[in-house]
mmCIF file of all heavy atoms in Angstrom:
data_model
loop_
_atom_site.group_PDB
_atom_site.id
_atom_site.type_symbol
_atom_site.label_atom_id
_atom_site.label_comp_id
_atom_site.label_asym_id
_atom_site.label_seq_id
_atom_site.Cartn_x
_atom_site.Cartn_y
_atom_site.Cartn_z
ATOM 1 N N GLY A 93 -27.250 298.672 38.249
ATOM 2 C CA GLY A 93 -26.857 299.580 39.321
ATOM 3 C C GLY A 93 -27.966 299.903 40.287
ATOM 4 O O GLY A 93 -27.729 300.539 41.321
ATOM 5 N N THR A 94 -29.197 299.482 39.990
ATOM 6 C CA THR A 94 -30.306 299.725 40.911
ATOM 7 C C THR A 94 -30.092 298.936 42.195
ATOM 8 O O THR A 94 -29.688 297.777 42.174
ATOM 9 C CB THR A 94 -31.644 299.312 40.262
ATOM 10 O OG1 THR A 94 -31.826 300.050 39.060
ATOM 11 C CG2 THR A 94 -32.806 299.598 41.199
ATOM 12 N N ARG A 95 -30.378 299.593 43.307
ATOM 13 C CA ARG A 95 -30.189 298.945 44.598
ATOM 14 C C ARG A 95 -31.498 298.919 45.372
ATOM 15 O O ARG A 95 -32.393 299.735 45.123
ATOM 16 C CB ARG A 95 -29.132 299.697 45.418
ATOM 17 C CG ARG A 95 -27.753 299.714 44.781
ATOM 18 C CD ARG A 95 -26.774 300.456 45.652
ATOM 19 N NE ARG A 95 -25.427 300.473 45.093
ATOM 20 C CZ ARG A 95 -24.368 301.026 45.670
ATOM 21 N NH1 ARG A 95 -24.524 301.642 46.845
ATOM 22 N NH2 ARG A 95 -23.184 300.973 45.088
ATOM 23 N N PRO A 96 -31.613 298.000 46.331
ATOM 24 C CA PRO A 96 -32.798 298.014 47.195
ATOM 25 C C PRO A 96 -32.944 299.389 47.843
ATOM 26 O O PRO A 96 -31.966 299.997 48.302
ATOM 27 C CB PRO A 96 -32.492 296.936 48.237
ATOM 28 C CG PRO A 96 -31.540 296.011 47.551
ATOM 29 C CD PRO A 96 -30.700 296.876 46.662
ATOM 30 N N GLY A 97 -34.162 299.895 47.851
ATOM 31 C CA GLY A 97 -34.408 301.202 48.443
ATOM 32 C C GLY A 97 -34.327 302.355 47.473
ATOM 33 O O GLY A 97 -34.604 303.494 47.857
ATOM 34 N N ASP A 98 -33.975 302.100 46.203
ATOM 35 C CA ASP A 98 -33.900 303.195 45.224
ATOM 36 C C ASP A 98 -35.283 303.763 44.901
ATOM 37 O O ASP A 98 -35.397 304.895 44.418
ATOM 38 C CB ASP A 98 -33.231 302.722 43.933
ATOM 39 C CG ASP A 98 -31.717 302.694 44.037
ATOM 40 O OD1 ASP A 98 -31.189 303.099 45.095
ATOM 41 O OD2 ASP A 98 -31.058 302.256 43.071
ATOM 42 N N ALA A 99 -36.306 302.996 45.131
ATOM 43 C CA ALA A 99 -37.701 303.450 45.001
ATOM 44 C C ALA A 99 -38.007 304.014 43.621
ATOM 45 O O ALA A 99 -38.585 305.091 43.475
ATOM 46 C CB ALA A 99 -38.026 304.475 46.089
ATOM 47 N N LYS A 100 -37.622 303.280 42.594
ATOM 48 C CA LYS A 100 -37.978 303.677 41.227
ATOM 49 C C LYS A 100 -39.433 303.318 40.934
ATOM 50 O O LYS A 100 -39.958 302.362 41.491
ATOM 51 C CB LYS A 100 -37.058 302.983 40.223
ATOM 52 C CG LYS A 100 -35.600 303.421 40.296
ATOM 53 C CD LYS A 100 -34.765 302.724 39.246
ATOM 54 C CE LYS A 100 -33.301 303.170 39.339
ATOM 55 N NZ LYS A 100 -33.142 304.587 38.977
ATOM 56 N N PRO A 101 -40.094 304.071 40.054
ATOM 57 C CA PRO A 101 -41.457 303.705 39.674
ATOM 58 C C PRO A 101 -41.492 302.330 39.028
ATOM 59 O O PRO A 101 -40.521 301.893 38.404
ATOM 60 C CB PRO A 101 -41.870 304.813 38.692
ATOM 61 C CG PRO A 101 -40.589 305.415 38.216
ATOM 62 C CD PRO A 101 -39.621 305.277 39.349
ATOM 63 N N VAL A 102 -42.611 301.653 39.166
ATOM 64 C CA VAL A 102 -42.753 300.266 38.734
ATOM 65 C C VAL A 102 -43.870 300.170 37.699
ATOM 66 O O VAL A 102 -44.941 300.767 37.865
ATOM 67 C CB VAL A 102 -43.086 299.342 39.932
ATOM 68 C CG1 VAL A 102 -43.192 297.887 39.487
ATOM 69 C CG2 VAL A 102 -42.042 299.500 41.035
ATOM 70 N N MET A 103 -43.606 299.423 36.621
ATOM 71 C CA MET A 103 -44.622 299.168 35.607
ATOM 72 C C MET A 103 -44.859 297.665 35.524
ATOM 73 O O MET A 103 -43.932 296.898 35.251
ATOM 74 C CB MET A 103 -44.188 299.729 34.252
ATOM 75 C CG MET A 103 -43.950 301.240 34.273
ATOM 76 S SD MET A 103 -43.407 301.910 32.670
ATOM 77 C CE MET A 103 -44.934 301.763 31.725
ATOM 78 N N VAL A 104 -46.106 297.241 35.780
ATOM 79 C CA VAL A 104 -46.465 295.825 35.815
ATOM 80 C C VAL A 104 -47.298 295.513 34.579
ATOM 81 O O VAL A 104 -48.374 296.085 34.390
ATOM 82 C CB VAL A 104 -47.256 295.483 37.094
ATOM 83 C CG1 VAL A 104 -47.669 294.009 37.074
ATOM 84 C CG2 VAL A 104 -46.425 295.786 38.329
ATOM 85 N N TRP A 105 -46.805 294.585 33.743
ATOM 86 C CA TRP A 105 -47.400 294.311 32.426
ATOM 87 C C TRP A 105 -48.257 293.062 32.422
ATOM 88 O O TRP A 105 -47.873 292.010 32.937
ATOM 89 C CB TRP A 105 -46.286 294.136 31.390
ATOM 90 C CG TRP A 105 -46.776 293.712 30.036
ATOM 91 C CD1 TRP A 105 -46.652 292.483 29.468
ATOM 92 C CD2 TRP A 105 -47.461 294.526 29.073
ATOM 93 N NE1 TRP A 105 -47.213 292.474 28.215
ATOM 94 C CE2 TRP A 105 -47.722 293.711 27.949
ATOM 95 C CE3 TRP A 105 -47.881 295.859 29.056
ATOM 96 C CZ2 TRP A 105 -48.385 294.194 26.818
ATOM 97 C CZ3 TRP A 105 -48.536 296.341 27.939
ATOM 98 C CH2 TRP A 105 -48.773 295.507 26.826
ATOM 99 N N LEU A 106 -49.447 293.199 31.769
ATOM 100 C CA LEU A 106 -50.344 292.075 31.533
ATOM 101 C C LEU A 106 -50.468 291.864 30.029
ATOM 102 O O LEU A 106 -50.960 292.740 29.310
ATOM 103 C CB LEU A 106 -51.722 292.351 32.134
ATOM 104 C CG LEU A 106 -51.751 292.696 33.630
ATOM 105 C CD1 LEU A 106 -53.177 292.990 34.068
ATOM 106 C CD2 LEU A 106 -51.148 291.561 34.457
ATOM 107 N N HIS A 107 -50.047 290.699 29.535
ATOM 108 C CA HIS A 107 -50.062 290.423 28.101
ATOM 109 C C HIS A 107 -51.482 290.230 27.595
ATOM 110 O O HIS A 107 -52.418 289.912 28.353
ATOM 111 C CB HIS A 107 -49.221 289.183 27.794
ATOM 112 C CG HIS A 107 -49.790 287.914 28.353
ATOM 113 N ND1 HIS A 107 -50.826 287.222 27.741
ATOM 114 C CD2 HIS A 107 -49.484 287.200 29.475
ATOM 115 C CE1 HIS A 107 -51.112 286.150 28.442
ATOM 116 N NE2 HIS A 107 -50.323 286.113 29.506
ATOM 117 N N GLY A 108 -51.658 290.379 26.293
ATOM 118 C CA GLY A 108 -52.937 290.123 25.645
ATOM 119 C C GLY A 108 -52.995 288.738 25.041
ATOM 120 O O GLY A 108 -52.114 287.907 25.237
ATOM 121 N N GLY A 109 -54.064 288.501 24.264
ATOM 122 C CA GLY A 109 -54.237 287.208 23.608
ATOM 123 C C GLY A 109 -55.636 286.653 23.725
ATOM 124 O O GLY A 109 -55.812 285.424 23.841
ATOM 125 N N ALA A 110 -56.661 287.534 23.694
ATOM 126 C CA ALA A 110 -58.067 287.110 23.700
ATOM 127 C C ALA A 110 -58.417 286.255 24.905
ATOM 128 O O ALA A 110 -59.336 285.441 24.853
ATOM 129 C CB ALA A 110 -58.417 286.371 22.404
ATOM 130 N N TYR A 111 -57.681 286.402 25.991
ATOM 131 C CA TYR A 111 -57.868 285.633 27.220
ATOM 132 C C TYR A 111 -57.550 284.151 27.049
ATOM 133 O O TYR A 111 -57.805 283.356 27.964
ATOM 134 C CB TYR A 111 -59.295 285.785 27.774
ATOM 135 C CG TYR A 111 -59.629 287.172 28.249
ATOM 136 C CD1 TYR A 111 -60.459 288.002 27.504
ATOM 137 C CD2 TYR A 111 -59.113 287.663 29.451
ATOM 138 C CE1 TYR A 111 -60.777 289.280 27.937
ATOM 139 C CE2 TYR A 111 -59.428 288.947 29.893
ATOM 140 C CZ TYR A 111 -60.252 289.745 29.127
ATOM 141 O OH TYR A 111 -60.559 291.023 29.562
ATOM 142 N N VAL A 112 -56.985 283.747 25.913
ATOM 143 C CA VAL A 112 -56.663 282.330 25.702
ATOM 144 C C VAL A 112 -55.208 282.108 25.297
ATOM 145 O O VAL A 112 -54.739 280.970 25.302
ATOM 146 C CB VAL A 112 -57.571 281.680 24.632
ATOM 147 C CG1 VAL A 112 -59.013 281.644 25.092
ATOM 148 C CG2 VAL A 112 -57.450 282.376 23.290
ATOM 149 N N LEU A 113 -54.494 283.161 24.926
ATOM 150 C CA LEU A 113 -53.141 283.038 24.395
ATOM 151 C C LEU A 113 -52.183 283.969 25.128
ATOM 152 O O LEU A 113 -52.588 284.882 25.832
ATOM 153 C CB LEU A 113 -53.119 283.404 22.906
ATOM 154 C CG LEU A 113 -53.913 282.542 21.933
ATOM 155 C CD1 LEU A 113 -53.945 283.204 20.564
ATOM 156 C CD2 LEU A 113 -53.310 281.157 21.838
ATOM 157 N N GLY A 114 -50.900 283.728 24.896
ATOM 158 C CA GLY A 114 -49.878 284.663 25.336
ATOM 159 C C GLY A 114 -49.180 284.257 26.614
ATOM 160 O O GLY A 114 -49.617 283.372 27.357
ATOM 161 N N ALA A 115 -48.054 284.955 26.863
ATOM 162 C CA ALA A 115 -47.261 284.700 28.061
ATOM 163 C C ALA A 115 -46.336 285.884 28.295
ATOM 164 O O ALA A 115 -45.995 286.626 27.367
ATOM 165 C CB ALA A 115 -46.435 283.419 27.910
ATOM 166 N N ALA A 116 -45.917 286.035 29.525
ATOM 167 C CA ALA A 116 -44.984 287.102 29.880
ATOM 168 C C ALA A 116 -43.599 286.872 29.300
ATOM 169 O O ALA A 116 -42.772 287.782 29.286
ATOM 170 C CB ALA A 116 -44.900 287.223 31.398
ATOM 171 N N SER A 117 -43.343 285.660 28.819
ATOM 172 C CA SER A 117 -42.029 285.306 28.290
ATOM 173 C C SER A 117 -41.868 285.603 26.802
ATOM 174 O O SER A 117 -40.795 285.347 26.243
ATOM 175 C CB SER A 117 -41.767 283.821 28.531
ATOM 176 O OG SER A 117 -42.872 283.033 28.112
ATOM 177 N N GLN A 118 -42.886 286.115 26.128
ATOM 178 C CA GLN A 118 -42.753 286.443 24.709
ATOM 179 C C GLN A 118 -41.650 287.478 24.512
ATOM 180 O O GLN A 118 -41.527 288.436 25.283
ATOM 181 C CB GLN A 118 -44.081 286.981 24.168
ATOM 182 C CG GLN A 118 -45.173 285.938 24.071
ATOM 183 C CD GLN A 118 -46.512 286.542 23.694
ATOM 184 O OE1 GLN A 118 -47.454 286.518 24.484
ATOM 185 N NE2 GLN A 118 -46.600 287.103 22.492
ATOM 186 N N ALA A 119 -40.859 287.286 23.452
ATOM 187 C CA ALA A 119 -39.705 288.163 23.216
ATOM 188 C C ALA A 119 -40.111 289.627 23.105
ATOM 189 O O ALA A 119 -39.347 290.528 23.478
ATOM 190 C CB ALA A 119 -38.981 287.718 21.948
#
Side-chain angles (χ1 to χ4, degrees):
T94 302
R95 298 181 179 182
D98 280 357
K100 293 182 180 293
V102 182
M103 300 179 71
V104 178
W105 174 253
L106 304 178
H107 67 80
Y111 294 106
V112 295
L113 297 171
S117 49
Q118 290 173 245

